Amino acid sequence: MSKTHVVEKWVDEAAALTKPSKVIWADGSKQEYDRLVEEMLRDGTLLEMNQKTYPGCYLHRSHPQDVARTEQLTFICTRDPEDAGPSNNWMAPAEAKAKAGAYFKHSMKDRRMWVIPYLMGPAGSAASRTGVMVTDSAYVVASMHIMTRVGQVAIDHMRAADDFIAGLHGMGDLSPERRLILHFPEEKLIWSVGSGYGGNALLGKKCHALRIGSYQARQEGWMAEHMFILGVEDPEGRITYFGGAMPSASGKTNLAMVVSKLPGYRAWTLGDDIAWIYVDAEGQLRAINPERGFFGVAPNTSAATNPNGIQMVRSNTIFTNVATTPAKEPWWEGIGTEAPAGTLDWQGRPWAPGGAPAAHPNSRFTTPGSQCPSIAPNWEDPQGVPISGFIFGSRRTNVIPMVFESFGWQHGVFLGAAMSTETTAAITGQVGVVRRDPMAMIPFCGYNMGSYFAHWLAMGPRLANPPKIFRVNWFRRDAEGRFLWPGYGENARILKWMVDRIHGRGKAVETPLGFIPTADALDLSGLDIDRRRVERALAWDRDEWLDALGDLSAFFGPFGRRLPGQIRQELELMVYRLKTGR
Ligand code: OXD
Ligand code: MN
């Protein structure tokens, strides 16, 4: 493999610090993947699943204290703390390196170090970027094979000898006491030690494509977003593309590969987690998916909630922390069938219903994108796809209507900045508490979020045709705690309304929040639902909103002068509209 001298020098430095017994350059080949799997089966890192019914599928059981992203141990290490901003943890670069350096020092003494050159984005795309990470985990190497494009293709994409993000990853001793996920955006550098969990250890994903990516995107005038990319084909055969931001484990993967229950409409998947978005020569926003696979949450994935998801994990998939049946098939809560007797839980212990979940609530599958039945034929188009709509979705039991549309770009950016959600198991910590999560980027924005809002605002005027911005919430419940809207495949009805709005159709009423569809503007044909439930899902309450906007003002406070005036202005306008009804 050809390498640049800057890559080689950096790898030498990493090896000098960690002292591996051997350095292996990953080439991304199938033979390499097969060899890694074989080795991991031998040393117990992977367990074989039923090769008749799940060919090429394996199970990994992680350390029980290493099962989710650890945001409290994740830092942005800029020279000036203000550049990280109040929503990030900050550590001075020298202090961060001293601390993590002690954990890394000689940590690979009896271990091998793999060097993984990886490409984020399709080969041949000007929007794609290279990373070079090192790791002492074979599980990470195999997972990077699935999630990124590994090998010479990455090196070939470098525009200069130093055009790569460097990532140093080590398992350390897996103790949360000695775990740190560190980002040095000013040095194009990531250090991650003490965790093998996907979001902490597959450095191409959250660390590179979002945290460092968002920093670079602002400098270079593009956008790195926590968004799926989805095409909606209508009965005329036209495909309208959306980017959609949703907090972790809030149905983002399900929507990205939704099977429409509305005749004539079909959804095409281009990505389920991250979008890199740029302005083309015509002033059109275009998006590529920097990833090559899906790292999805297993629980509640079923033939009813995500039939494409169920099909795509039937082969060549690495499962992490799911339960297993005596037939060596994966099982998780919400898979749609009862667990047979003799099922083992995610730690390999005998399991019986009634106690703790069998699968870890954040158990995952890692699977190649090409295996998704709804994958769009153009998902690896180097030019990306034109984006006509953005969807901001979150999980709220009340307050946020099921769907509404912003008055325009600036108001839409404000709605993104105002996002709040109920927390899930994708992060270590309490589940179900409401937290602010602007654009679903609170854990992933690699710089001051006030400046991030300013960057979003500045993109608008550069666009010939700014995408319409929609806010959605499938999670409204009635007084008995039941969901008001069936969701999943029925969400195609909401997508249809958005497509209609984009193309100048679709009825809506103007409210202080934005444009809300009338219940008869949604195509409910063939759906057995009480119209009053739909009306309740679309309802909003003035006092609830005034309260929520008070909280929002408190959240914005610490951003001080970094918060753009337009965001404050939109907040004031919204309060005014709510108070006056205008
Ligand atoms: C993910 C996450 O894994 O957001 O995509 O946690
Ligand atoms: Mn995500």
Side-chain angles (χ1 to χ4, degrees):
M1 194 184 309
S2 67
K3 316 148 191 165
T4 75
H5 64 281
V6 186
V7 171
E8 281 187 329
K9 179 166 172 280
W10 180 74
V11 170
D12 288 347
E13 281 167 19
L17 174 62
T18 57
K19 291 275 190 289
S21 57
K22 193 172 173 195
V23 177
I24 306 166
W25 288 74
D27 64 14
S29 64
K30 166 132 180 24
Q31 292 88 316
E32 180 173 81
Y33 181 83
D34 292 345
R35 230 173 17 244
L36 285 161
V37 167
E38 226 170 82
E39 280 176 28
M40 286 190 281
L41 287 172
R42 242 182 285 130
D43 72 14
T45 306
L46 291 184
L47 301 171
E48 202 166 64
M49 310 234 69
N50 186 325
Q51 293 301 299
K52 281 215 180 72
T53 52
Y54 282 82
C57 291
Y58 304 96
L59 168 70
H60 173 66
R61 293 195 182 116
S62 79
H63 189 285
Q65 285 196 63
D66 187 28
V67 292
R69 284 186 289 102
T70 40
E71 291 182 5
Q72 71 283 11
L73 302 173
T74 301
F75 291 82
I76 302 297
C77 309
T78 44
R79 282 185 298 264
D80 182 350
E82 221 209 305
D83 289 337
S87 60
N88 278 312
N89 299 315
W90 175 84
M91 207 188 289
E95 182 193 347
K97 284 187 187 160
K99 264 203 178 133
Y103 308 153
F104 272 122
K105 192 166 180 202
H106 300 184
S107 65
M108 300 184 190
K109 209 163 36 73
D110 308 311
R111 302 169 67 84
R112 291 167 304 171
M113 180 174 96
W114 284 269
V115 184
I116 314 171
Y118 63 89
L119 180 66
M120 299 309 287
S125 174
S128 297
R129 293 284 186 276
T130 295
V132 180
M133 76 171 283
V134 302
T135 180
D136 57 354
S137 158
Y139 166 80
V140 167
V141 188
S143 302
M144 286 294 284
H145 266 240
I146 298 176
M147 295 303 295
T148 72
R149 294 150 180 100
V150 169
Q152 187 65 48
V153 64
I155 301 280
D156 290 347
H157 248 268
M158 291 168 56
R159 298 162 300 183
D162 67 346
D163 182 28
F164 67 99
I165 302 300
L168 170 57
H169 172 255
M171 297 292 273
D173 63 6
L174 289 180
S175 159
E177 309 297 308
R178 284 172 293 283
R179 179 179 301 163
L180 285 169
I181 323 296
L182 306 170
H183 305 76
F184 306 88
E186 290 149 348
E187 300 171 55
K188 298 192 295 186
L189 178 66
I190 303 158
W191 276 21
S192 165
V193 63
S195 168
Y197 171 73
N200 294 332
L202 310 182
L203 299 190
K205 194 175 182 60
K206 304 302 189 181
C207 302
H208 177 165
L210 287 176
R211 298 198 189 95
I212 303 278
S214 61
Y215 179 93
Q216 287 190 313
R218 174 164 171 256
Q219 282 185 326
E220 299 169 10
W222 48 282
M223 304 165 89
E225 299 300 326
H226 190 206
M227 287 185 174
F228 63 68
I229 310 169
L230 169 71
V232 180
E233 183 172 346
D234 61 26
E236 294 98 76
R238 176 179 51 192
I239 303 181
T240 305
Y241 294 96
F242 291 89
M246 293 181 179
S248 312
S250 296
K252 191 151 142 244
T253 299
N254 294 346
L255 187 60
M257 43 194 78
V258 67
V259 175
S260 165
K261 290 259 179 83
L262 190 61
Y265 285 80
R266 175 171 186 169
W268 292 102
T269 309
L270 293 103
D272 83 327
D273 196 39
I274 299 174
W276 280 358
I277 307 167
Y278 68 98
V279 188
D280 74 8
E282 274 76 52
Q284 171 67 51
L285 270 189
R286 302 189 76 89
I288 63 159
N289 173 7
E291 301 191 281
R292 199 177 80 100
F294 303 116
F295 176 64
V297 178
N300 294 321
T301 304
S302 72
T305 64
N306 187 349
N308 285 328
I310 284 288
Q311 268 196 53
M312 77 183 179
V313 303
R314 292 299 295 228
S315 58
N316 308 317
T317 295
I318 300 179
F319 293 97
T320 302
N321 293 339
V322 298
T324 44
T325 70
K328 291 198 178 167
E329 293 185 341
W331 191 88
W332 49 78
E333 278 67 23
I335 198 172
T337 53
E338 296 289 307
T343 291
L344 300 179
D345 77 1
W346 62 279
Q347 296 184 77
R349 301 171 304 197
W351 180 83
H360 188 277
N362 191 37
S363 54
R364 298 274 180 155
F365 52 76
T366 311
T367 209
S370 57
Q371 292 192 177
C372 179
S374 59
I375 199 77
N378 56 343
W379 79 291
E380 293 185 288
D381 186 333
Q383 307 303 322
V385 293
I387 296 293
S388 305
F390 281 128
I391 301 172
F392 290 130
S394 72
R395 179 185 281 273
R396 290 298 308 269
T397 302
N398 42 38
V399 186
I400 315 289
M402 174 160 70
V403 61
F404 61 103
E405 178 196 325
S406 79
F407 293 122
W409 184 259
Q410 179 172 305
H411 178 231
V413 174
F414 165 75
L415 291 178
M419 273 168 71
S420 57
T421 198
E422 289 155 25
T423 53
T424 67
I427 48 164
T428 300
Q430 225 186 326
V431 169
V433 297
V434 173
R435 79 158 172 180
R436 292 278 155 201
D437 193 356
M439 281 87 167
M441 279 289 278
I442 202 92
F444 306 123
C445 184
Y447 62 101
N448 190 311
M449 261 206 148
S451 307
Y452 169 78
F453 301 148
H455 180 48
W456 261 87
L457 290 167
M459 291 300 289
R462 292 176 56 199
L463 307 178
N465 220 340
K468 279 195 182 292
I469 299 181
F470 301 94
R471 181 76 173 88
V472 305
N473 173 27
W474 320 133
F475 299 92
R476 284 291 285 265
R477 294 180 195 242
D478 63 17
E480 285 74 48
R482 289 172 310 199
F483 289 113
L484 285 163
W485 175 249
Y488 307 114
E490 306 298 358
N491 287 336
R493 301 170 190 278
I494 314 293
L495 291 170
K496 177 189 174 187
W497 180 76
M498 295 187 215
V499 169
D500 283 347
R501 293 295 292 173
I502 286 166
H503 299 296
R505 304 191 298 246
K507 279 194 290 176
V509 282
E510 189 173 337
T511 75
L513 314 189
F515 297 108
I516 302 190
T518 52
D520 69 333
L522 295 179
D523 187 341
L524 302 178
S525 53
L527 175 63
D528 183 18
I529 189 170
D530 183 341
R531 191 165 289 260
R532 278 168 307 186
R533 288 184 78 77
V534 179
E535 279 160 10
R536 280 174 66 192
L538 290 169
W540 56 278
D541 180 87
R542 177 179 169 274
D543 292 334
E544 257 181 9
W545 267 84
L546 284 170
D547 251 17
L549 293 178
D551 280 1
L552 180 59
S553 189
F555 169 74
F556 284 154
F559 292 96
R561 60 186 179 80
R562 291 266 188 151
L563 187 79
Q566 296 102 304
I567 296 290
R568 215 166 264 300
Q569 185 192 355
E570 286 294 337
L571 174 59
E572 282 160 15
L573 277 169
M574 197 139 181
V575 171
Y576 174 80
R577 287 195 302 266
L578 283 162
K579 285 193 170 155
T580 60
R582 257 174 277 162

